[in-house]
Amino acid sequence: LSLIIFCVYFFFEEHSMPEFFDDYFLSLLNELANPQKRVFVGYLSSAVAIALLWLCVVEKLSPKTAVKRIFDKRIWFSKSSLADFKIILINRVVMSAGAAAVVSQLTISTLLYDLLHNQTLIQPLAFHAASASMVAILFTAFFFIFDDFSRFFVHRLMHKIPFLWAFHQVHHSAETMTPFTIFRTHPVEGLIFIFRTSIVQGVAISVFIFLFGSKVDLVTIFGASVGVVIFHSLGSNLRHSHIKIRYPKIIERIFISPGQHQIHHSTEKKHFDKNFGVAFAIWDLMFGSLAFSEKATHRFGLRTEFGLNQGIMHLYIEPFKVAVKIFQRSKNQTKNKTRKSFYERKINARTF
């Protein structure tokens, strides 16, 4: 709670009221107008088109019924979805201030670049003779793959480490999903992923500049990485939705389908800790967490006390309480282990 209050206070200290409203609403509109953003109107439109095609061709629904299914009021105006929208509005303020506290990509790039110059295994500009177009293709591919793996890895940690799960459960408490559920995250998780982004960008940029020189650039379409444009244009927004699009199993071993990510949100025990991947399924295949999509209907959310409450204060404050309890429990367990170890040493000393 103190963190949220500090972030809001810091934000208003740095912005006048008119500036706040201008920046606030422009940042919201930017999400829809910027091809670099996941909910860019073009990507949302392609998702609707893909969903219509799937429902009409595969599930044999009439166009009218398909449209009603996609824009089902019970989904878009459920308590869970309304909580999503409230979190988006609140996080826009909180994250604007909190992000300033995260180490920047430039700082990480500079530090790593200096470290690379201090090693002797690889010489600087070892591949400077490569053409600019080749460097751009390599950098774009490396960045997309590295970024995707980092998302998988951090997401996996969010599920495996109880302290992190305390905050990630906010996202999993969604009982209905729309493309905007992607933004249903606790600010603490948001800061972790901002830090992840800084690390990915810092590592990729510093390594490529060290090896190839100043020719480093992305292959872009309308200012967005070609990998991002392709990924989102092919229906990434349907992963958080009630439209279950499945790929053939051979494809689902390589790429995560919307149906596979919906399994990740399922309340069924057999689906727990499955499909952490974002774009590529190969990471889940490698780590043993891959599950194929199913025809069956899934229930989303959490079958826990936390998952029963869609209240905003609950979603923001309760994770801190849970995290503190986990920290205290861990601290007590460490103390008990230390005492036990000390007691065992005394017993062993007496034995000898």
Side-chain angles (χ1 to χ4, degrees), residues 83-91 183-185 312 315-316:
D84 294 352
F85 297 131
K86 292 174 186 176
I87 289 173
I88 290 172
L89 297 175
I90 295 170
N91 278 0
F183 299 112
R184 185 193 178 103
T185 56
I312 289 300
L315 295 173
Y316 274 94

Side-chain angles (χ1 to χ4, degrees), residues 53-344:
L53 190 65
W54 176 269
L55 292 174
C56 293
V57 176
V58 178
E59 298 193 12
K60 309 297 183 184
L61 299 182
S62 69
K64 184 178 180 180
T65 304
V67 170
K68 286 184 177 180
R69 173 81 68 84
I70 294 170
F71 298 104
D72 191 336
K73 292 187 298 183
R74 295 170 298 178
I75 301 295
W76 287 88
F77 294 99
S78 67
K79 286 184 179 180
S80 179
S81 292
L82 292 177
D84 294 352
F85 297 131
K86 292 174 186 176
I87 289 173
I88 290 172
L89 297 175
I90 295 170
N91 278 0
R92 184 60 54 178
V93 177
V94 176
M95 297 306 297
S96 294
V102 179
V103 179
S104 71
Q105 164 260 312
L106 180 61
T107 303
I108 295 171
S109 295
T110 304
L111 289 172
L112 186 54
Y113 189 72
D114 289 340
L115 286 174
L116 288 170
H117 274 279
N118 290 331
Q119 58 84 38
T120 56
L121 185 62
I122 303 175
Q123 293 299 311
L125 303 178
F127 305 105
H128 72 282
S131 66
S133 58
M134 179 58 70
V135 175
I137 292 171
L138 289 174
F139 181 67
T140 302
F142 174 81
F143 185 84
F144 187 80
I145 294 170
F146 183 39
D147 182 70
D148 191 70
F149 175 74
S150 72
R151 290 175 186 273
F152 161 82
F153 186 72
V154 174
H155 189 186
R156 184 182 176 90
L157 292 180
M158 286 282 179
H159 282 255
K160 298 297 184 180
I161 299 176
F163 181 84
L164 297 180
W165 171 252
F167 300 99
H168 186 56
Q169 65 180 330
V170 172
H171 181 68
H172 276 271
S173 64
E175 296 177 338
T176 56
M177 296 198 295
T178 73
F180 296 96
T181 304
I182 187 70
F183 299 112
R184 185 193 178 103
T185 56
H186 193 279
V188 171
E189 178 178 349
L191 291 176
I192 290 171
F193 271 89
I194 289 175
F195 186 52
R196 177 209 66 83
T197 301
S198 295
I199 292 175
V200 169
Q201 293 177 350
V203 170
I205 292 171
S206 59
V207 168
F208 267 74
I209 289 178
F210 178 79
L211 294 175
F212 297 97
S214 59
K215 294 178 288 188
V216 176
D217 199 4
L218 283 169
V219 178
T220 61
I221 301 176
F222 302 120
S225 168
V226 66
V228 169
V229 173
I230 293 172
F231 174 59
H232 292 323
S233 296
L234 292 178
S236 68
N237 283 301
L238 294 173
R239 293 158 194 266
H240 291 102
S241 79
H242 54 291
I243 310 300
K244 184 180 294 185
I245 293 180
R246 306 181 304 278
Y247 301 159
K249 285 187 177 181
I250 190 171
I251 302 298
E252 289 191 340
R253 291 179 184 274
I254 304 171
F255 300 106
I256 293 286
S257 70
Q260 282 175 291
H261 190 72
Q262 289 160 15
I263 275 181
H264 177 73
H265 279 267
S266 169
T267 59
E268 293 183 57
K269 192 173 182 179
K270 66 177 181 178
H271 295 150
F272 290 176
D273 292 344
K274 298 294 183 182
N275 300 340
F276 297 111
V278 178
F280 293 111
I282 52 176
W283 315 127
D284 283 295
L285 188 62
M286 290 167 58
F287 283 79
S289 53
L290 183 68
F292 297 113
S293 59
E294 302 171 357
K295 288 184 178 180
T297 301
H298 304 305
R299 178 184 171 187
F300 304 135
L302 296 173
R303 291 182 178 178
T304 63
E305 185 178 350
F306 181 89
L308 295 176
N309 193 336
Q310 295 292 330
I312 289 300
M313 290 298 291
H314 171 77
L315 295 173
Y316 274 94
I317 305 304
E318 191 63 25
F320 285 113
K321 295 180 180 179
V322 174
V324 168
K325 289 179 182 178
I326 291 170
F327 177 76
Q328 291 175 337
R329 191 184 308 130
S330 176
K331 191 176 180 180
N332 291 334
Q333 288 175 348
T334 301
K335 284 183 179 179
N336 291 335
K337 286 181 181 179
T338 303
R339 290 170 183 167
K340 183 178 180 181
S341 176
F342 177 69
Y343 177 75
E344 288 174 345

